[in-house]
Amino acid sequence: MLEWILAILILIGAFFTLVGSIGLYKLSDFYMRLHGPTKASTLGVGAILIASAIHFSFKTDGVSLHEILVTLFLFITAPVSAHLMAKAAIHIKVKQVERTRQLEEK
Amino acid sequence: MIQRLFPHPLLSLILWGIWLLLNNTLSAGHIVLGAVLAIFIPWLTSSYWPEKILIRRPWMLVLYIFRVLFEILVANAVVAKLILGPQKKLKPGFLHYELQLTSPVGIGLLANTISLTPGTVSCDLTKDRRYLLIHALHIDDVEAIRAEIHRKFEKPLLEIFITC
Amino acid sequence: MLNLALSIAFVMVGIAILLSFIRLIIGPNTPDRILALDTLYINTIALLILLGINLQSALYFEAALLIAVMGFMGTLALSKYLLRGDIME
């Protein structure tokens, strides 16, 4: 039973990690590429880390929770780095796909 | 006295929790050592934290975190579908979001949440802190995205953070 | 069961690392390369944790934590460099 849960969590994690990188490879401009890694990868790594926490909690007696720390750290830092990268890209005027919707004047 | 000893009670609590998690233990020695660090680090760095973080309803914050986690799960499925599908159909674009929040921590939390959830990344904040520049992976209806952000995330945050 | 899942996961994460490496090489401009590096370190954390489960060792966790901290710092410094033309001010 435990093995099944672990296997499913690991596969979900690996799948989302892969989707993030596929997005990075496939999408057509920088701003679109930003979406893949910041979301898919964090959940992917999060699922794998939770699997690791469950695995080591049951293998050794006592709870192993320090994997949560990495998950927490990634969930806090991923949006920050995405924000800064987007800001840098806007600053040096990276090209956008032509069909990008532009800002309305205000 | 209590004020001087714990300039930032929330920071102390978080530091203590992180120390225990980092050492992966609940032994008495580490509890004491962690408590000492949790008191001294905020005390030494208090001059770098000028403003006080005021949280009106801590329970709402916990509820908010669970809601965001759920939204992240949904968002990942949506974004995965968008990425794996044909990309000719995607209509990316920028949009401005008018903020009602005024507390800096609240704005930061909202920007982080937006970056973590459905196909949107916060890119910039205007100088006067009134508009958030957002890039969306797929826009069908701009107003719908704005309304969704307001309903799901900004409203709870407005109730949690008071303006200082 | 677990071993099979681990093998599949290793392959998937390996392909993910390869894809971000390709983006790192071809990336048309600098922000693309920064983003590729960012993805690369996140994928490396996943690979290390998987290796830890595979080898039944909790030692790899510390390395993963260090990579997370250092990678974030690297991304931050590179973006700051693009924004200001300087890291330290």
Side-chain angles (χ1 to χ4, degrees), chain A residues 26 35 39 66 99 101 104, chain B residues 83 87 90 92 94 146:
Chain A
K26 182 180 137 182
H35 290 277
K39 298 194 189 68
H66 60 187
R99 59 179 190 275
R101 175 186 179 278
E104 70 272 26
Chain B
I83 287 175
Q87 54 157 322
L90 293 180
F94 288 97
R146 286 196 185 121

Side-chain angles (χ1 to χ4, degrees), chain A residues 36-57:
Chain A
T38 51
K39 298 194 189 68
S41 295
T42 39
L43 182 78
V45 178
I48 290 176
L49 281 162
I50 290 167
S52 167
I54 296 173
H55 179 76
F56 285 111
S57 295

Side-chain angles (χ1 to χ4, degrees), chain B residues 108-123:
Chain B
L109 211 55
L110 181 69
N112 270 18
T113 317
I114 287 171
S115 288
L116 277 173
T117 47
T120 44
V121 171
S122 66
C123 295

Side-chain angles (χ1 to χ4, degrees), chain C residues 33-63:
Chain C
R33 297 207 163 89
I34 300 175
L35 181 61
L37 271 178
D38 193 69
T39 318
L40 205 57
Y41 90 74
I42 290 178
N43 290 349
T44 316
I45 294 170
L47 198 63
L48 261 181
I49 298 293
L50 285 176
L51 191 67
I53 300 177
N54 195 23
L55 297 178
Q56 307 280 321
S57 151
L59 277 178
Y60 293 92
F61 160 78
E62 264 79 18

Side-chain angles (χ1 to χ4, degrees), chain B residues 5 18 33 67 80 96 124-126 134 151 162 164:
Chain B
L5 205 57
I18 285 179
L33 186 55
R67 165 172 231 164
H96 271 304
D124 210 344
L125 182 67
T126 48
I134 295 173
R151 183 171 53 85
I162 338 168
C164 318

